C-alpha cells in the first residue's frame, strides 16, 4: 500500500492559483445550488480552553468527498484537510492553513464578481493578518483598481502590506484610520478577529459592497448595526451557518436591526435566482436603509476546502504523468 501524500502550505500555493480557484469555487456553488454537491455545517467541541472543529462536503462532479478538522487554542490554531475517492479511500491530506487562506480570498473574489458595483475602482482592506495579502490579490483580480486602502491597528504593518501589494503592481496605500479607509471605497473587505465594529457604517458609500470575512463566531463583530441596517441585500456563503456563526448579523438581529428571513445564500446569487439591487451613484441613493449597500458575510464552508484540495490533487497527478 503506497503512502498517502501530504501537501504542505507551499505546495498548495504552487498548485493552486487564485484565478483558477475562484472559477472552481463558482462551479462548486452552482453545483450546490443544483443539489449536485453537499456541504455540512461546522461543528465545534470546546472544553478547557481547547476547541475541536470539523466540517465535510461531497462533490460528485469530481467523484470526491472530504473535509476539514482543526484545533483552536489560546496559542493559535492548526488545520488538516482530507480528500477521499470511492475507489481509493483517502487519497491525500493537506495543510489547511494555506488552503484556507486562498479559499477564503477566492470566496470574496466571487462576491466581488457578482455583487460589487460594475464601475467600482476603489476599495479598502481592513486587517493586516494572514488573510490581508490574498484579499489584496483577489480585489486586484476582480476589479480595475485605481485606489486600494489598507488599514490595521498597527500602521507599520499596514504600510508593510501596502508595500507588498505595490511591488506586485497593486495601487495600495496605508491609511491611519479605518473610517478614512472606507470613506469613498466602493468595496470594503474586513479580515480581522475584532469583537467590536471597525468603522462607522454611516461612512460607507451608498452602493458599497462590504465583504465581512472575520466575523465567524457569535462573539465577533467587524461591522456595526448601522451597516447591516443600511444594506439592501445581505448574503452569506452559508445561510444556515450564519445563524450561529455570523457575529455581525447576530448582534444586529439582537438589536432589532436585522431580520433573518431576509438573508440570502450565495448559491442563490450565483445561480441567478435573486435580484441584486441596482447600484446607484452616491448622489442619487442617499444614506439610510435600502440605499443599495450589499453586505456579504463569509463563514467558510467545507465545499470550498474540498474544491481546492481536488484541484491541487488533480494538478499534482498531472505533473506526475508529465
Amino acid at each position: 500500500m503506497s503512502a498517502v501524500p501530504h501537501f504542505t502550505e507551499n505546495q498548495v500555493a504552487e498548485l493552486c492559483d487564485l484565478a483558477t480557484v475562484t472559477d472552481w469555487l463558482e462551479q462548486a456553488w452552482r453545483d450546490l445550488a443544483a443539489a449536485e454537491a453537499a456541504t455540512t455545517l461546522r461543528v465545534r467541541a470546546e472544553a478547557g480552553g481547547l476547541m475541536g472543529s470539523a466540517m465535510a462536503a461531497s462533490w460528485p462532479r469530481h467523484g470526491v468527498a472530504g473535509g476539514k478538522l482543526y484545533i483552536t487554542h489560546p496559542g493559535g490554531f492548526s488545520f488538516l484537510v482530507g480528500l477521499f475517492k470511492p475507489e481509493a479511500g483517502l487519497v491525500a491530506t493537506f495543510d489547511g492553513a494555506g488552503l484556507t487562506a486562498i479559499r477564503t480570498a477566492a470566496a470574496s473574489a466571487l462576491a466581488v464578481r457578482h455583487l460589487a458595483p460594475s464601475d467600482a475602482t476603489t476599495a479598502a482592506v481592513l486587517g493586516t493578518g494572514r488573510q490581508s495579502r490574498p484579499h489584496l490579490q483577489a480585489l486586484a483580480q476582480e476589479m480595475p483598481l485605481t485606489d486600494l486602502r489598507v488599514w490595521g491597528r498597527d500602521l507599520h504593518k499596514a504600510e508593510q502590506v501596502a508595500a507588498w501589494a505595490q511591488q506586485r503592481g497593486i495601487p495600495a496605500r496605508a491609511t491611519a484610520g479605518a473610517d478614512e479607509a472606507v470613506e469613498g471605497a466602493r468595496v470594503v473587505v474586513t479580515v480581522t478577529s475584532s469583537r467590536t465594529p471597525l468603522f462607522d457604517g454611516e461612512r460607507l458609500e451608498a452602493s458599497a459592497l462590504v465583504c465581512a470575512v472575520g466575523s465567524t463566531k457569535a462573539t465577533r463583530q467587524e461591522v456595526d448595526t448601522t451597516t447591516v441596517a443600511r444594506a439592501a441585500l445581505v448574503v452569506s456563503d452559508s445561510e444556515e451557518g450564519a445563524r450561529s456563526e455570523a457575529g455581525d448579523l447576530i448582534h444586529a438581529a439582537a438589536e432589532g436591526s436585522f431580520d433573518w428571513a431576509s438573508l440570502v445564500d450565495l448559491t442563490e446569487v450565483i445561480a441567478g435566482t435573486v435580484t441584486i439591487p441596482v447600484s446607484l451613484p452616491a448622489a442619487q441613493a442617499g444614506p439610510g436603509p435600502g440605499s443599495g449597500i450589499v453586505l456579504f458575510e463569509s463563514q467558510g464552508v467545507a465545499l470550498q476546502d474540498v474544491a481546492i484540495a481536488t484541484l491541487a490533487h488533480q494538478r499534482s497527478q498531472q505533473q506526475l504523468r508529465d
Side-chain angles (χ1 to χ4, degrees):
M1 180 177 177
S2 59
V4 173
H6 177 75
F7 293 82
T8 66
E9 180 177 344
N10 288 339
Q11 288 173 315
V12 171
E14 290 170 1
L15 290 164
C16 298
D17 62 286
L18 182 61
T20 303
V21 167
T22 305
D23 291 341
W24 272 53
L25 288 194
E26 183 160 20
Q27 181 60 66
W29 258 301
R30 291 188 189 282
D31 289 346
L32 190 61
E36 295 173 0
T39 192
T40 69
L41 295 178
R42 191 186 338 259
V43 294
R44 305 183 192 269
E46 184 175 12
L50 294 180
M51 178 186 293
S53 303
M55 50 187 182
S58 63
W59 199 10
R61 174 180 295 274
H62 293 279
V64 296
K68 181 159 66 177
L69 180 68
Y70 60 101
I71 183 174
T72 307
H73 55 90
F77 46 81
S78 181
F79 301 88
L80 181 70
V81 173
L83 186 68
F84 297 81
K85 293 180 75 68
E87 69 278 10
L90 180 65
V91 295
T93 60
F94 303 80
D95 178 278
L99 193 151
T100 298
I102 190 170
R103 66 91 142 138
T104 305
S108 295
L110 270 185
V112 172
R113 181 178 296 179
H114 288 273
L115 297 169
S118 59
D119 59 349
T121 62
T122 56
V125 171
L126 309 186
T128 57
R130 186 182 190 90
Q131 283 288 346
S132 61
R133 289 170 173 81
H135 275 82
L136 294 174
Q137 291 178 309
L139 291 170
Q141 171 183 292
E142 299 296 329
M143 298 174 61
L145 286 170
T146 59
D147 184 21
L148 176 54
R149 303 86 176 266
V150 180
W151 173 85
R153 299 190 190 281
D154 184 329
L155 179 58
H156 178 62
K157 289 183 179 179
E159 290 171 340
Q160 289 179 323
V161 172
W164 176 91
Q166 291 166 7
Q167 292 169 0
R168 288 155 179 79
I170 302 172
R173 60 185 175 90
T175 63
D179 284 347
E180 175 189 348
V182 304
E183 196 157 9
R186 304 295 299 284
V187 176
V188 175
V189 178
T190 61
V191 285
T192 75
S193 58
S194 181
R195 292 173 179 266
T196 57
L198 302 172
F199 59 89
D200 179 0
E202 292 290 352
R203 299 293 191 99
L204 289 169
E205 284 286 303
S207 58
L209 166 65
V210 179
C211 296
V213 176
S215 179
T216 56
K217 294 180 181 179
T219 55
R220 293 183 181 177
Q221 188 179 16
E222 292 187 299
V223 305
D224 59 12
T225 54
T226 299
T227 299
V228 181
R230 290 186 64 191
L233 180 69
V234 181
V235 180
S236 173
D237 57 7
S238 174
E239 180 184 353
E240 188 178 3
R243 293 176 179 269
S244 61
E245 294 187 339
D248 294 328
L249 303 184
I250 291 169
H251 281 87
E255 294 183 19
S257 299
F258 177 67
D259 180 358
W260 286 107
S262 68
L263 182 61
V264 170
D265 197 285
L266 184 59
T267 56
E268 300 174 77
V269 174
I270 292 177
T273 57
V274 296
T275 301
I276 309 303
V278 176
S279 297
L280 299 175
Q284 298 178 32
S291 62
I293 288 173
V294 176
L295 174 61
F296 172 61
E297 290 282 342
S298 178
Q299 273 67 63
V301 297
L303 185 58
Q304 296 166 292
D305 300 294
V306 169
I308 300 175
T310 303
L311 173 62
H313 185 253
Q314 287 187 8
R315 284 187 165 177
S316 71
Q317 293 297 299
Q318 185 62 50
Q319 288 180 354
L320 290 175
R321 288 191 292 269
D322 294 344

